[in-house]
Amino acid sequence: MLPLPVLAPASLARSAALRNHLDRGSDAALDEVLARPGTVIVLAHRGSLLVSRGQLHRLRLQEPQAVELTAPHDGAPAQPSAEPSQPTAEPAPGPGPLTTELGALGGTRIYLGRAADGTDCVGLLLDDASRSRVDEALARAQGAQAEDLLDAPATGLDVAAPTWFDLRALALALSDLDAGLACTLVALGNWHAAHPRSPRTGEPTEPAAGGWVRRDPTTGAEHFPRTDPAVIMAVVHTDPDGEERILLGSNAAWPQRRFSILAGFVEPGETLERAVQREVFEEAGVHCDNPRYVGSQPWPFPCSLMLGFTAEARSADLQPDGDEMSEVRWFTRRELRAAVAAEDVLIPGEVSIAGQIIAAWLAGGA
């Protein structure tokens, strides 16, 4: 097969935040970080993020421990007022900014890193009560109903009013900096939600090290975020005439007509290359050779790292496992383009590395 180029970082693989564990401060509340001039806060709740004007909505401390929920979102540091307002959960008279006590917003604080201009970025994983409190406060400031903030409006990411969006809807639209911040925040949010107790003692654990550790307060044992590596591969068969066909499968749990390249988790004691070969044989009955790495992408749904490969099939014989895969098929480039155009086959978009690999293969020939 014609080798595919290594994928350029795209979608959720993009990031411009600079990470250094020494920048996280020594306290779980991140008071040291929040005291640094210009520090910004972004909000997340159960996989959704607060967005306005095409980027993550940034909150800034207007005075000690008070954040402005409806600050102008121009990416520039907020200018201090001549007479700082008192922190309150009620909107100021008229169209002025709305402030609230930072401590009143419950949840887990995460140090996300530092932007190229030196701005420290903190994520706040809101608990349910605080999400409701934020929605109600924003709705009052906008003269709307809190329910209006539950779904992204038809105007899209450029909506001026702060609005909640699912991470998948943001993946291609955000800047490199914001894509990395959002992906990290959602990934760590999933980890914190799924691991509230120590696996050793069963006791509740507490966030530490800027949200990157959970510590057992009884034993002092530290537990770290989990990332599950998974391989995802474009398996290609080349016939005697030199025409290539890509192997796509339809998972038994997917809607009809949906196909993608094959994927699976890496097992203990297994190399990435061997995982590629095992998964392809298990799911499609195909032996393949020459696994070649083409790129990776974090996929925090809930905690995967997708490692992209190509591989060469020894033959075109297929035998779907009948369990995980309901159907596996070979497509030439011409056949796949025609099937997608006719909507006979639905393939992933370029939000995911699966769609990016398929697009790269389709661009590689007639």
Side-chain angles (χ1 to χ4, degrees), residues 242-292:
E243 186 165 36
E244 295 183 354
R245 288 173 170 80
I246 192 170
L247 178 61
L248 301 184
S250 181
N251 190 287
W254 292 348
Q256 289 186 345
R257 299 180 293 144
R258 180 179 172 185
F259 283 79
S260 185
I261 54 179
L262 307 187
F265 289 106
V266 181
E267 295 183 346
E270 188 173 52
T271 66
L272 300 178
E273 292 81 3
R274 183 56 185 157
V276 168
Q277 295 171 317
R278 174 185 53 77
E279 282 288 344
V280 173
F281 182 73
E282 286 180 353
E283 295 184 354
V286 173
H287 291 284
C288 63
D289 300 309
N290 301 323
R292 180 176 176 270

Side-chain angles (χ1 to χ4, degrees), residues 5 20 36 52 58 81 88 94 111-112 147 178 182 215 271 277 281 289 294 296-297 304 322 354:
N20 185 334
R36 296 171 188 163
S52 64
R58 284 158 169 75
S81 59
T88 173
Y111 182 71
L112 298 174
E147 290 78 6
D178 280 10
R215 182 174 294 131
T271 66
Q277 295 171 317
F281 182 73
D289 300 309
V294 294
S296 65
Q297 179 187 54
S304 296

Side-chain angles (χ1 to χ4, degrees), residues 132-149:
S132 296
R133 189 175 296 116
V134 167
D135 284 352
E136 291 167 2
L138 291 174
R140 288 197 303 272
Q142 298 166 25
Q145 298 295 318
E147 290 78 6
D148 294 339
L149 300 170

